[in-house]
Amino acid sequence: MQEQNMTWTQTYLHDYKEGMGAFREHMPEVSHKFDEFTQECFKAGELSKKEKQLMALGISIVAQDEYCMIYHTQGCVDQGATEKEILEACGVAAAFGGGAALSQAVTLVQDAYMDLTTTVN
């Protein structure tokens, strides 16, 4: 996919993947161990993959990590989370993280959800 044809969320995700690729080249052992660790953490267990993505989204909102907000919004969508479930996770994050978390939820996360779930013809 050519960069000029990407949506803004696809551009963010592409930039993240490029950055991780460069990191992987320089730090293959660390990258591999991190990938193994996160894959294990996000496997279904007592909590479903969707629940884990919703948790990660809330944490990323409180941490003010824009790349992770978009990445985990994508993860939520991929795991079948509804807009209402995502917004509920945003509300919990705002209850913990205050106005700064809410401002990210009502802008970046909502915009990313709409961008990720709207098909362009």
Side-chain angles (χ1 to χ4, degrees):
M1 176 180 322
Q2 291 185 5
E3 208 162 326
Q4 66 262 21
N5 294 330
M6 288 190 229
T7 66
W8 70 271
T9 52
Q10 291 168 328
T11 300
Y12 255 80
L13 293 169
H14 175 76
D15 290 349
Y16 172 76
K17 288 176 185 178
E18 278 190 342
M20 284 302 293
F23 180 76
R24 192 170 284 116
E25 286 179 27
H26 296 288
M27 302 293 293
E29 301 86 9
V30 173
S31 177
H32 177 70
K33 294 294 184 186
F34 180 77
D35 288 345
E36 282 183 335
F37 174 70
T38 57
Q39 286 175 16
E40 188 65 29
C41 289
F42 280 90
K43 283 177 20 181
E46 295 300 313
L47 298 172
S48 69
K49 289 180 179 182
K50 179 172 80 171
E51 291 168 322
K52 290 180 177 187
Q53 286 295 334
L54 289 164
M55 289 172 60
L57 176 60
I59 292 165
S60 67
I61 292 168
V62 174
Q64 299 287 295
D65 184 334
E66 291 184 4
Y67 283 97
C68 284
M69 284 181 236
I70 293 168
Y71 184 84
H72 291 294
T73 299
Q74 176 73 65
C76 290
V77 169
D78 290 347
Q79 294 303 316
T82 65
E83 182 177 16
K84 188 138 183 157
E85 289 172 320
I86 290 170
L87 293 176
E88 193 168 320
C90 291
V92 172
F96 188 78
L102 184 60
S103 71
Q104 295 287 11
V106 301
T107 56
L108 189 62
V109 174
Q110 285 188 125
D111 290 347
Y113 177 83
M114 293 306 296
D115 193 47
L116 292 164
T117 59
T118 303
T119 56
V120 178
N121 294 326

